Amino acid sequence: MYGNDFAATGDAGVPASDVAATSAGRTLLEQVEDAERELRSASERSVVGDDRLQDYFDAVINADQKIEPRDWMPDPYRLGLIRQIAQHAHSEIIGMQPEGNWISRAPSLKRKAILLAKVQDEAGHGLYLYAAAETLGVSRSDLVDQLLTGRQKYSSIFNYPTLTWADVGTIGWLVDGAAIVNQVPLCRCSYGPYARAMIRICKEESFHQRQGFEILHTLAHGTPAQRAMAQDAVNRWWYPSLAMFGPPDTASTHSEQSMTWKIKRFSNDELRQRFVDMCVQQATVLGLSLPDPDLRWNAERDHYDFTQPDFHELMRVISGDGPCNRQRLEHRRRAHEEGAWVREAAAAYAAKRAAREPAGV
Ligand code: BYC
């Protein structure tokens, strides 16, 4: 976890100091900072121009520099990025709902204010991502239309219900935790606008995970009923969180191409394993268990062995048949319709200003 406030107790075979480190001894926050430095130096492009567009594109990618909106890029690269960034943006926007349900029921004013800020951050993440997608030549209204008509998807995880306050803590700990593990490598993605958006998002996401962890820590150390509520929430969210990383590598349609283009840096299974390794030790600090009887340290692999999520369930949820898919989309459609007057007013104001301002100013 980023900047863990909670002392780690260590776990079988794994030194306590490794709790915050997930890759080559670098904490997740250090990895985001490395990516930010890399991004700055990549902006001073050293690859020499070439008349053959495809060769130049390949050379920029091979040199680990960034493709920018002004650059030529193959259509499948552009379309693949639009697909992934749009799905990511939609996930942030739909992802406001499961927690938004709890803003009015948070157990104290402080918890309410924190949750409100978190949900607002998610709206902001959606907007950075829509803006990044727009640099690829699509309009935000087209993307929103594709979400509302079910042609573009969002993360499976947001189709599960939030039944208790402990679910809010568990979403912060497990769902935001999975999101961070998935998204830190995207800070090094080959497309500049996406990489820049991800750096900002990951820094904010770190607070989200910590607030979830802190809610769960409080419940796990509270009354027996609170503790049981925390354990129940972890039991329900564990496998859906593992499924967030996507199908297994053998069934992942986009991974290979995406990794060649350095959009994805690690495969779905690699990131899922990294997440499990990180969570086992954090669960120990929380004093909660993970609902997998086969979870155990494998010294040969240097990783935890674990039970995979139900990928048939993942496919069913992605295709629209999860516990809350209909409810989530209906709510989003209603909110979009009710917001029409805001979009119209903003457009009218922009037109009025443009008409008033002298040309060229
Ligand atoms: N849910 O070939 P694959 C957040 C789809 S935001 C739904 O492996 P890829 C948060 C996949 O799109 C969380 N669909 O795909 C927000 C593809 O379908 P299409 C979202 C999934 O792209 C608020 C097909 O299955 N994060 O955490 O190489 C509050 C085949 O998969 C899922 C992102 O979007 C799924 N779980 O890898 C709190 C991160 N898994 O398009 C938290 C950016 C797979 O062919 N995205 N699919 O119809 C990615 O990193 C990648 O797109 C994925 C999938 C790892 C998700």
Side-chain angles (χ1 to χ4, degrees), residues 164 166 219-236 288:
T164 68
L219 292 173
H221 294 82
T223 64
Q226 286 172 323
R227 196 185 154 65
M229 183 167 73
Q231 185 62 60
D232 171 64
V234 170
N235 293 350
R236 284 182 288 105
L288 295 172

Side-chain angles (χ1 to χ4, degrees), residues 83 87 92 122 156 176 179 182 246 252-254 264 268 318:
R83 176 192 68 81
Q87 180 186 298
E92 298 282 356
E122 280 150 13
S156 52
D176 290 300
N182 168 263
S252 167
T253 40
H254 302 294
K264 270 168 106 158
N268 298 356
I318 293 178

Side-chain angles (χ1 to χ4, degrees), residues 83-84 87-88 91-92 95-96 99 118 122 153-158 171 175-176 179 182-183 186 194 205 243-247 251-255 258 264 268 314-315 318:
R83 176 192 68 81
Q84 176 165 330
Q87 180 186 298
H88 195 166
S91 302
E92 298 282 356
M96 296 164 74
E99 292 167 289
K118 177 183 193 265
E122 280 150 13
K153 304 285 191 278
Y154 56 88
S155 180
S156 52
I157 194 75
F158 302 117
I171 289 183
V175 175
D176 290 300
N182 168 263
Q183 289 169 191
L186 292 175
Y194 192 25
E205 209 74 78
M244 283 175 74
F245 294 92
S252 167
T253 40
H254 302 294
S255 280
S258 214
K264 270 168 106 158
N268 298 356
L314 171 65
M315 289 308 147
I318 293 178

